[in-house]
Amino acid sequence: MSWDDYFAADAGSAEAERRGKKRTVTVGWTVRFAKSDAIWSPPTTFARSEPKSKSGKSIQVCPAAIDFDRRHFVIPCPVDLTLAFVRDAQGRLQLTDADGEQSGMRPQGRANLLQLQPQSEWRDPERPILQFTAPYVFVADEPCWVVQTEPYLHWFPERRPGVAMGGRYPIHIWPRPLAWAFEWYDLSKPLVLKRGDPWFYVHFETENPGAHVRLVEQEMTDELETYLDSIIDVSNYVNKTYGLFGEAQRIRPEKLLKPKS
């Protein structure tokens, strides 16, 4: 079988199944947050709202474009927030809520949601990095990687003043909560976040490149809770946490995925 035939079979059907490569992989999602769970909306499949195509050659009916789009899941922003940097009398940068008294968030809420990383951890001394809590947990019982990216399929009238950092890790071994890290390039402009707007995307990589993911709400079982406790915040104690994957696999329960009934 040629390589072209091999991958065509993967996308198609029984040959992929015969080689043990599933055509659909189930991934559970849940939120692990100490309070205010209601602000975190479910992930949604990316969808376009263009009118029906008048041409059979239009991009709207291109199988490659359709397949690419539908593999993305949108994580909506949980809050309305406008952040800006100002300099104090000594010229030091300070992060402020630009909405002031009109802000929808109290200082304690901001403290729970985000933190400015120490300058020693920035990639560039002129580009501050903010890290937001994004407590979505994705879990699978078979090899599967989550990939987090900017919402690049959406158009925004105003660009954010920096870039969101991507990430990729195996959720069958390391189903830790996500985070949203933002590297601020243009300090003269505010970062405006709107509740319900696309915050970031996730998509998934599986052993079968042709497989599609079925995303289901996950029950927070005692087994998953205990396993999460064993891997969360390990970066506070060691570097290169990928080196812990072997140990994590050793202590992982055989089954973690349990869709809510």
Side-chain angles (χ1 to χ4, degrees):
M1 178 183 288
S2 71
W3 282 110
D4 286 345
D5 290 338
Y6 185 93
F7 288 114
D10 265 354
S13 60
E15 179 62 17
E17 294 281 6
R18 185 182 67 79
R19 294 198 305 272
K21 295 185 176 183
K22 293 186 177 181
R23 296 170 61 189
T24 301
V25 174
T26 301
V27 171
W29 74 270
T30 188
V31 170
R32 194 177 196 255
F33 198 57
K35 57 185 100 176
S36 306
D37 283 356
I39 70 172
W40 308 103
S41 299
T44 59
T45 305
F46 175 80
R48 298 184 183 273
S49 57
E50 285 90 353
K52 186 176 180 180
S53 171
K54 296 180 180 179
S55 168
K57 299 296 184 181
S58 169
I59 187 67
Q60 285 105 308
V61 294
C62 172
I66 293 170
D67 185 60
F68 182 83
D69 284 357
R70 70 177 179 171
R71 291 176 181 272
H72 291 75
F73 298 90
V74 182
I75 307 296
C77 184
V79 294
D80 292 307
L81 184 61
T82 302
L83 297 172
F85 275 104
V86 297
R87 292 191 182 272
D88 62 16
Q90 288 73 42
R92 294 171 298 196
L93 284 173
Q94 290 187 326
L95 184 66
T96 65
D97 186 335
D99 291 329
E101 294 297 323
Q102 301 303 312
S103 176
M105 294 188 68
R106 291 192 172 101
Q108 183 59 43
R110 293 193 298 273
N112 290 336
L113 184 66
L114 66 96
Q115 62 178 344
L116 179 62
Q117 297 295 93
Q119 189 171 10
S120 61
E121 297 180 9
W122 301 356
R123 292 196 288 199
D124 184 285
E126 299 300 320
R127 299 201 299 261
I129 293 178
L130 294 178
Q131 182 160 299
F132 285 69
T133 297
Y136 291 87
V137 174
F138 295 94
V139 60
D141 280 339
E142 53 198 290
C144 184
W145 282 255
V146 65
V147 183
Q148 181 180 357
T149 63
E150 287 195 273
Y152 54 82
L153 298 175
H154 283 83
W155 181 79
F156 295 93
E158 294 184 13
R159 290 179 57 87
R160 291 168 177 167
V163 296
M165 298 180 183
R168 174 183 180 273
Y169 58 89
I171 58 174
H172 59 292
I173 301 172
W174 206 253
R176 64 166 178 79
L178 296 175
W180 188 71
F182 183 79
E183 188 172 25
W184 206 311
Y185 276 66
D186 188 347
L187 300 180
S188 69
K189 294 182 179 178
L191 171 62
V192 180
L193 299 174
K194 298 292 186 183
R195 176 169 169 79
D197 277 359
W199 196 17
F200 58 88
Y201 299 154
V202 294
H203 68 271
F204 300 92
E205 298 173 359
T206 60
E207 286 188 302
N208 174 13
H212 283 271
V213 163
R214 182 174 72 97
L215 198 61
V216 298
E217 189 170 3
Q218 165 77 19
E219 184 174 323
M220 184 58 76
T221 62
D222 292 341
E223 291 83 4
L224 179 57
E225 191 82 50
T226 300
Y227 190 65
L228 289 173
D229 285 340
S230 72
I231 63 175
I232 288 175
D233 293 334
V234 294
S235 60
N236 290 333
Y237 306 98
V238 298
N239 293 329
K240 301 179 180 178
T241 54
Y242 271 36
L244 299 175
F245 285 177
E247 177 61 17
Q249 277 189 298
R250 186 186 68 80
I251 64 174
R252 184 196 191 278
E254 182 179 358
K255 296 291 184 182
L256 285 176
L257 181 67
K258 185 176 181 181
K260 273 191 174 180
S261 55

